[in-house]
Amino acid sequence: VMLPLKEKDKPIVQKLLSAGCCARCVLRFCCVSAQAAYRQPQQVTLAFYSTAAESTEGNSNDAAVSEPPSKRVKLEPSGTDAPSEEAAAGPAAAAEPCVCVVCLGILQDLCGPTPAVKVSEKVKAEKYEFDTLVLSVSLPAQLCVREHSCWLHVKKEMREKSMAVDKDDIIQVKEAFKWVMQGLVAKELGGVAVSPFEVAVGFTHPETDADCHFLASTCADCFKPTKNKQSVFTRMAVVKALEKIADAKFLKHYASPPAQPTSSCSPQDVQCLHASVFVAGRYNKFCRSLPQTPWVIDGERRMESSVEELIAAPLLSSFRADGFNFSSSGREDVDVRTLGNGRPFAMELLNPHRSRLSRVEMKQLQETINKSSDKIRVRDLQIVSREAMSRMKEGEEEKTKTYTALVWTQKPIQSEDIAFIDDIKDLTLDQKTPLRVLHRRALAVRQRVVHSMNTRFLDSHHFYLGLKTQAGTYIKEFVHGDFGRTKPNLCVLLKTDTDILELDVEVRRKTIESEILIHSDILKSLLFR
């Protein structure tokens, strides 16, 4: 692999090696962005440096170092890098390898085939099914201080060599680590590119934790305690402080180049996290004693189950997820049935160990949910995107809802007494927040429209009332008036006290163009025909 290092880079390379930088950190400070260069065994890279140092002064300033080194080349200036397994054929280090003063060993022994195997074994033990691997890295904040120190160490020499390099041009430790490890871990796990799976690796280095402490006195405003952070010396706070501190002030408090550490970083436990999977569909509720979500009042649970739990249990089991978030297009009261084609719902499955089910498996899962209880039924169960899930909530307030209510009247009635209700169109209501929801909704007067109504006489004190209303209309309060908080109401229209005994919401399926429903681009022609 060609290393794009030129003649003028040689003094910088030697200065970095002498300061105790590892082979990969030298590449970073020389702003080498070729990923393949970092994947080379470090002994091979050091041999390149050695070859470059021994080359004749007759080389052109624009000549890149590209000749492979002899296996017998002596490494210079000393064994600053740990020999890697890949470089077994390379020269053996004469002395005990030193830990890099900048990356604290992260790009040395903690970055290669052996660490990749350890990470992979952890992932395999968790039994995740995934397609794409995304590696995330958490590094000790003191690495920023050490990098700044080393940058000041070579900055003057870079300017003298007319190297137009800014500190931001230096390749980050995190990027170099990923360039080496991402492919190795993915190869071990056999992943291919379809769905995201994150493997998080982190490192600590207690020996150098105090490296950041001087910044707290020189840039106090950058370090503010927060509830969720164990230390004020977060990576972001340290970076902010280093941007503000003057070079002279930094050098007054911290050595340049950094002091040689005696140990490498310690790897933390590998954390695995699969991106959420979103499952959507429609549900019917046939029970008048089943809340949509768990019903807890004053810390005490009411009702033994809920719609969300009846649906979630089989989904969590099939996808082997750690948890879920449930949402739906509206909600019904505990004593209201949901009929018709069903209410659209979506469920975000958190950290699923399995991310894909076939159409047959999804159909079987739907049947499992439906067989588990006679209180609910689901249909159109499908895996969708996050964007599709958000579309379900769009325009929810603009929807028209259809209801059927069983109404009781205090005074005896005949069918002709209620016939006029069928002729009422687009009746505007002023609804003050109902007393029954005032504990969780702000006090306000909301205008809602009852588009149309129809009646079916039952007996002298009962009739069925069908309504088409604007979404968000409180139907119960329209029927009984809620002590006059809804105006007008059915009591006023019929000139007698009325109450609601039963309520059903009838969900009708619209066309694809007008339906604000979660749908899959692949399945929509099948599901909405």
Side-chain angles (χ1 to χ4, degrees):
V1 177
M2 178 181 291
L3 291 181
L5 298 174
K6 300 180 176 150
E7 190 71 27
K8 62 184 178 183
D9 294 320
K10 289 182 183 178
I12 308 300
V13 171
Q14 290 299 321
K15 194 161 189 174
L16 289 167
L17 291 173
S18 298
C21 288
C22 68
R24 287 175 177 141
C25 278
V26 171
L27 292 176
R28 294 193 309 107
F29 276 92
C30 290
C31 306
V32 175
S33 58
Q35 297 185 22
Y38 293 85
R39 295 180 186 131
Q40 282 283 96
Q42 294 196 84
Q43 294 290 67
V44 173
T45 304
L46 282 171
F48 270 110
Y49 298 153
S50 180
T51 300
E54 293 174 354
S55 63
T56 63
E57 292 298 324
N59 288 345
S60 166
N61 284 349
D62 293 325
V65 180
S66 59
E67 291 291 327
S70 164
K71 291 182 180 179
R72 293 185 297 275
V73 171
K74 180 180 178 183
L75 301 183
E76 294 183 11
S78 64
T80 59
D81 190 49
S84 59
E85 293 177 7
E86 313 99 305
E96 187 71 22
C98 297
V99 177
C100 176
V101 297
V102 180
C103 73
L104 300 175
I106 289 173
L107 296 180
Q108 294 174 293
D109 292 337
L110 301 173
C111 184
T114 300
V117 169
K118 291 180 180 178
V119 171
S120 303
E121 287 174 349
K122 170 67 174 179
V123 176
K124 289 175 182 176
E126 296 283 343
K127 296 182 179 178
Y128 278 91
E129 293 179 16
F130 61 94
D131 301 294
T132 299
L133 172 72
V134 177
L135 195 67
S136 68
V137 189
S138 175
L139 302 175
Q142 58 264 36
L143 261 64
C144 300
V145 175
R146 290 179 158 265
E147 186 160 287
H148 190 76
S149 168
C150 209
W151 161 250
L152 296 180
H153 181 59
V154 296
K155 185 169 73 167
K156 183 174 180 235
E157 183 121 17
M158 284 181 166
R159 286 176 178 169
E160 289 175 356
K161 301 295 180 184
S162 301
M163 297 173 69
V165 176
D166 189 82
K167 186 184 174 186
D168 291 340
D169 297 327
I170 298 172
I171 305 299
Q172 296 295 305
V173 174
K174 186 177 296 187
E175 289 303 309
F177 183 87
K178 288 181 182 180
W179 290 346
V180 178
M181 289 287 283
Q182 177 104 19
L184 291 172
V185 174
K187 184 178 178 181
E188 286 288 330
L189 296 172
V192 293
V194 179
S195 69
F197 171 63
E198 179 180 332
V199 177
V201 295
F203 301 93
T204 58
H205 197 259
E207 179 189 341
T208 58
D209 275 347
D211 281 10
C212 305
H213 291 182
F214 75 95
L215 292 170
S217 57
T218 57
C219 305
D221 57 329
C222 295
F223 301 95
K224 296 177 181 178
T226 58
K227 293 181 180 178
N228 299 325
K229 300 293 183 181
Q230 293 182 344
S231 170
V232 296
F233 297 104
T234 63
R235 188 173 182 83
M236 290 300 296
V238 170
V239 168
K240 187 177 178 181
L242 292 174
E243 288 173 351
K244 293 180 66 174
I245 192 170
D247 291 354
K249 197 170 186 179
F250 179 91
L251 294 172
K252 183 179 178 181
H253 292 87
Y254 197 86
S256 178
Q260 181 74 54
T262 59
S263 62
S264 295
C265 281
S266 300
Q268 296 177 300
D269 287 341
V270 175
Q271 301 293 324
C272 301
L273 181 66
H274 197 290
S276 294
V277 169
F278 299 91
V279 176
R282 290 173 172 267
Y283 75 81
N284 293 110
K285 179 164 81 78
F286 307 117
C287 177
R288 296 195 186 278
S289 59
L290 184 69
Q292 187 191 71
T293 55
W295 195 6
V296 179
I297 300 177
D298 296 330
E300 183 180 344
R301 172 151 188 161
R302 310 290 177 88
M303 310 292 177
E304 61 181 17
S305 189
S306 64
V307 172
E308 115 177 352
E309 290 167 298
L310 291 174
I311 297 174
L315 288 176
L316 289 173
S317 176
S318 294
F319 287 89
R320 292 188 283 130
D322 290 349
F324 68 91
N325 291 319
F326 179 87
S327 63
S328 65
S329 181
R331 60 187 295 124
E332 68 285 324
D333 289 339
V334 63
D335 58 349
V336 175
R337 296 187 303 177
T338 303
L339 307 178
N341 292 312
R343 186 184 296 280
F345 75 90
M347 193 164 287
E348 178 186 8
L349 298 172
L350 307 175
N351 192 25
H353 287 52
R354 188 180 185 194
S355 60
R356 291 186 295 177
L357 270 68
S358 67
R359 288 191 185 185
V360 173
E361 288 174 314
M362 288 299 291
K363 191 72 176 177
Q364 291 172 342
L365 179 55
Q366 180 172 297
E367 291 175 1
T368 299
I369 295 171
N370 292 337
K371 290 178 181 178
S372 66
S373 173
D374 59 1
K375 296 179 180 179
I376 65 163
R377 183 174 180 83
V378 299
R379 61 183 296 171
D380 301 343
L381 202 64
Q382 58 189 285
I383 297 175
V384 299
S385 66
R386 181 185 292 271
E387 292 71 29
M389 185 172 176
S390 65
R391 284 200 298 271
M392 181 185 68
K393 305 301 288 184
E394 294 175 5
E396 186 176 303
E397 290 301 312
E398 284 72 46
K399 285 186 179 181
T400 297
K401 299 294 181 69
T402 303
Y403 300 90
T404 300
L406 176 58
V407 179
W408 168 86
T409 63
Q410 186 182 46
K411 291 182 180 179
I413 58 169
Q414 299 298 323
S415 58
E416 54 267 25
D417 295 331
I418 58 174
F420 75 95
I421 294 177
D422 293 28
D423 298 325
I424 297 176
K425 306 295 180 187
D426 296 325
L427 177 66
T428 299
L429 309 180
D430 289 327
Q431 292 198 302
K432 191 176 287 188
T433 305
L435 293 173
R436 65 187 173 91
V437 299
L438 196 55
H439 65 285
R440 57 182 171 85
R441 295 208 66 179
L443 178 62
V445 177
R446 300 173 179 83
Q447 280 201 340
R448 293 292 185 265
V449 177
V450 177
H451 298 295
S452 64
M453 292 183 281
N454 61 81
T455 58
R456 180 161 59 90
F457 181 77
L458 196 59
D459 59 40
S460 60
H461 287 281
H462 301 88
F463 70 95
Y464 282 105
L465 176 66
L467 309 98
K468 285 187 178 179
T469 74
Q470 178 184 351
T473 303
Y474 290 106
I475 304 302
K476 292 178 179 178
E477 282 65 28
F478 169 67
V479 172
H480 59 61
D482 196 25
F483 301 101
R485 297 169 72 86
T486 290
K487 299 176 181 178
N489 56 63
L490 199 58
C491 299
V492 172
L493 296 177
L494 291 177
K495 297 178 181 177
T496 181
D497 286 345
T498 59
D499 205 351
I500 188 166
L501 303 181
E502 292 180 352
L503 180 63
D504 296 331
V505 55
E506 303 278 349
V507 184
R508 304 295 183 189
R509 176 174 291 178
K510 300 180 181 180
T511 61
I512 300 175
E513 290 75 17
S514 62
E515 176 64 277
I516 313 294
L517 171 65
I518 291 183
H519 60 276
S520 152
D521 292 334
I522 299 174
L523 297 179
K524 67 182 179 183
S525 59
L526 172 64
L527 297 177
F528 293 90
R529 65 187 178 187

